[in-house]
Amino acid sequence: NAQRETLDAVNSGDHDITAFLGGYGSGKSVLGARWLIAKALEYPGSRFLCMGQDFQKAKNTTYPKLYEALPGRETTRLTSGCNGPEENSPIVADFNRQDYRLTLTNGSTITLGSADDYARYAGAEFGAVWMDEPSHYGEDLHDLLGMITTRLRGVDGPKTQLWTLTGEGYNAAWEILEKREDADGNPIGLNVNVVTGSVLDNPYSTDGELQMFRRKYEGTGKEKQALHGGFAAATGLVYSQFSRETHVIDHAEAADRVTGDWRIYGYDAGWSDPRVVVEIGATDYDQFVILDEFYQSQSHVEDAVRWLKQNDKPQGRIYCEHEPADIQKFSRAGFAAIEAEKSIDPGIAEVRRRLERDDNDRVGLLVSDRCQHTVREFLSYKQDHVGTSQAEDHICDSVRYAIHTNEHKGGGLPTSTVRLSGSMNDLTGNGI
């Protein structure tokens, strides 16, 4: 079955990453936990890493799966008087609950980590890594992968990664596993093997559980993802109309369609979160085109100004996050910087309107394929996350600031921009 195929692949030594992409309840985490413990036993005195989404979630999901996979009884029991893995498993010598580190009787250690604080493991070296549900790690997965890949050295072990996950929309995990690309669309240069397993083939599920899964998901939009583990478009998206096929075009074509040097920009301040500037032009047919993006964490507004200058961006209005000092710096650089209209619901409605087709079958918003962060956010920005810290919305906010404020405060479109009625009906292609 798929679990055996996964184990054969990850143990073959032929792959940098082996991913078990399974439906809900397909035994993914059990497989990952058992594999990691087996490797820790196989290589005495080595170090291994178990990675969960974030500490709060992992301590209730991923970590207990690891404890359960240990031989012994009540290995998951963690109370003030019971240190379950240490006290009840014959292969555990110590469980440090402060550092969340298991030490086995053969001297190997398993660090229980989390993707929300992955930098803390940058100085360590590991023999192998198990990542549980990396499709939930967000855009940090790209940087995390780069770090982990350099940490598989210095100690004994197979020097490989096992990922266990369910496909959750077109996210960073999808880009790595399906497209084999990094955050900038470049080849990742790693040997990746993906095994897909259906929950309906899980030998450890009861007939009642399988029937429940069928009743809940068969024939629904989540069947591919929930039952069979495949990547499927995320549900509940803010911009569900957006698609690569309809709205994303080649950069050369995007630049060719734009009228002259008329530009507007959206700006979102950030430090731990990315600082963002998006450049937007317009076509002769009342369409906005997102041409370029500045997207950088731990950067200053001066870095954004330098990006504008070094890339000879045309001067135009910058609709800004309400940071007076940043607005002044853009203004001194020659850009007409003003506070953005930040109303969320009307702004989202305006962007949604732009994503629709007009009477001539032209969409009102196009995106250059150079703008991978923009594409990624549009494909993953969830309605439930709007206005919360969970939202990956820095580009989407910047686009909303630019488009809605331009409409709301009368920025208009270039004077040459007109909406034609019938003369373009004979043209075809994305965004026409």
Side-chain angles (χ1 to χ4, degrees):
N1 60 19
Q3 294 189 2
R4 172 52 58 189
E5 183 182 349
T6 301
L7 289 175
D8 289 343
V10 74
N11 290 329
S12 70
D14 295 333
H15 313 293
D16 299 301
I17 301 171
T18 299
F20 179 34
L21 191 62
Y24 301 158
S26 57
K28 305 180 300 296
S29 297
V30 173
L31 174 71
R34 291 179 177 177
W35 174 80
L36 194 67
I37 291 171
K39 295 299 110 179
L41 290 172
E42 183 179 345
Y43 295 91
S46 193
R47 291 188 295 272
F48 298 86
L49 178 62
C50 161
M51 183 75 75
Q53 178 181 355
D54 60 57
F55 179 74
Q56 290 302 318
K57 291 184 176 67
K59 76 175 184 177
N60 294 315
T61 55
T62 303
Y63 304 163
K65 290 296 183 184
L66 190 70
Y67 309 150
E68 288 175 1
L70 295 166
R73 301 179 61 183
E74 294 190 314
T75 53
T76 62
R77 187 181 175 197
L78 297 176
T79 66
S80 59
C82 181
N83 204 18
E86 179 181 340
E87 295 185 22
N88 299 319
S89 176
I91 69 168
V92 177
D94 177 72
F95 177 38
N96 187 318
R97 290 169 69 173
Q98 179 175 350
D99 295 333
Y100 269 74
R101 183 180 63 249
L102 279 168
T103 302
L104 305 188
T105 53
N106 71 347
S108 287
T109 61
I110 299 176
T111 298
L112 307 181
S114 56
D116 60 328
D117 192 19
Y118 67 87
R120 67 185 297 187
Y121 317 111
E125 295 172 335
F126 301 101
V129 176
W130 166 41
M131 290 195 198
D132 193 34
E133 297 295 354
S135 56
H136 292 289
Y137 293 4
E139 294 311 306
D140 283 345
L141 181 60
H142 283 292
D143 291 335
L144 189 157
L145 174 61
M147 184 274 290
I148 289 294
T149 301
T150 66
R151 297 294 91 201
L152 292 170
R153 58 186 174 86
V155 295
D156 290 337
K159 310 297 196 303
T160 191
Q161 303 174 52
L162 174 61
W163 294 13
T164 56
L165 67 161
T166 296
E168 295 282 349
Y170 300 147
N171 48 36
W174 173 77
E175 291 168 346
I176 293 166
L177 298 179
E178 297 291 306
K179 300 188 72 182
R180 314 292 164 92
E181 293 179 352
D182 64 15
D184 298 318
N186 301 313
I188 59 173
L190 297 174
N191 192 328
V192 179
N193 185 70
V194 178
V195 180
T196 302
S198 172
V199 64
L200 304 181
D201 296 329
N202 184 0
Y204 301 105
S205 295
T206 66
D207 289 342
E209 289 171 337
L210 295 179
Q211 289 173 11
M212 181 273 291
F213 279 117
R214 282 195 174 98
R215 286 195 303 270
K216 188 168 183 179
Y217 297 113
E218 272 190 346
T220 72
K222 297 196 75 173
E223 178 176 348
K224 178 181 178 183
Q225 171 185 327
L227 292 185
H228 309 298
F231 282 102
T235 58
L237 296 178
V238 174
Y239 299 118
S240 58
Q241 314 100 309
F242 184 90
S243 71
R244 290 179 183 271
E245 295 74 19
T246 301
H247 298 92
V248 181
I249 59 176
D250 178 77
H251 180 72
E253 182 182 356
D256 186 60
R257 291 196 188 190
V258 165
T259 303
D261 285 342
W262 183 92
R263 295 290 189 275
I264 57 173
Y265 301 86
Y267 169 71
D268 191 46
W271 178 252
S272 296
D273 289 330
R275 189 179 302 272
V276 169
V277 179
V278 290
E279 176 192 7
I280 302 175
T283 75
D284 283 335
Y285 308 106
D286 196 16
Q287 297 168 296
F288 284 127
V289 183
I290 300 175
L291 291 167
D292 208 350
E293 59 185 25
F294 172 85
Y295 186 97
Q296 187 174 329
S297 300
Q298 298 185 353
S299 61
H300 302 276
V301 64
E302 288 84 359
D303 297 312
V305 171
R306 189 176 302 112
W307 176 80
L308 291 165
K309 291 290 190 180
Q310 290 179 345
N311 290 283
D312 296 322
K313 298 300 183 186
Q315 292 187 357
R317 288 192 177 190
I318 300 183
Y319 299 113
C320 295
E321 177 82 41
H322 296 183
E323 296 285 345
D326 291 1
I327 292 174
Q328 291 174 9
K329 289 174 182 177
F330 281 124
S331 297
R332 286 199 294 269
F335 292 84
I338 64 174
E339 289 187 355
E341 170 55 55
K342 296 179 63 176
S343 301
I344 293 177
D345 290 343
I348 287 175
E350 181 63 30
V351 176
R352 283 174 174 164
R353 184 183 71 82
R354 281 277 167 186
L355 292 172
E356 301 288 352
R357 292 183 180 273
D358 65 12
D359 293 340
N360 296 306
D361 203 33
R362 291 188 291 266
V363 295
L365 178 63
L366 298 167
V367 181
S368 160
D369 62 2
R370 170 185 289 181
C371 303
Q372 288 298 312
H373 293 290
T374 302
V375 174
R376 197 174 298 122
E377 279 198 15
F378 269 104
L379 289 171
S380 62
Y381 186 23
K382 292 190 175 183
Q383 188 69 50
D384 290 345
H385 295 169
V386 173
T388 74
S389 59
Q390 292 177 279
E392 294 284 344
D393 58 359
H394 317 295
I395 290 274
C396 286
D397 280 353
S398 300
V399 172
R400 172 167 59 85
Y401 296 162
I403 290 178
H404 181 53
T405 312
N406 190 72
E407 180 75 16
H408 184 77
K409 296 191 175 182
L413 288 164
T415 55
S416 62
T417 296
V418 295
R419 180 178 291 277
L420 304 185
S421 55
S423 60
M424 295 295 291
N425 286 342
D426 57 332
L427 297 180
T428 59
N430 277 352
I432 297 293

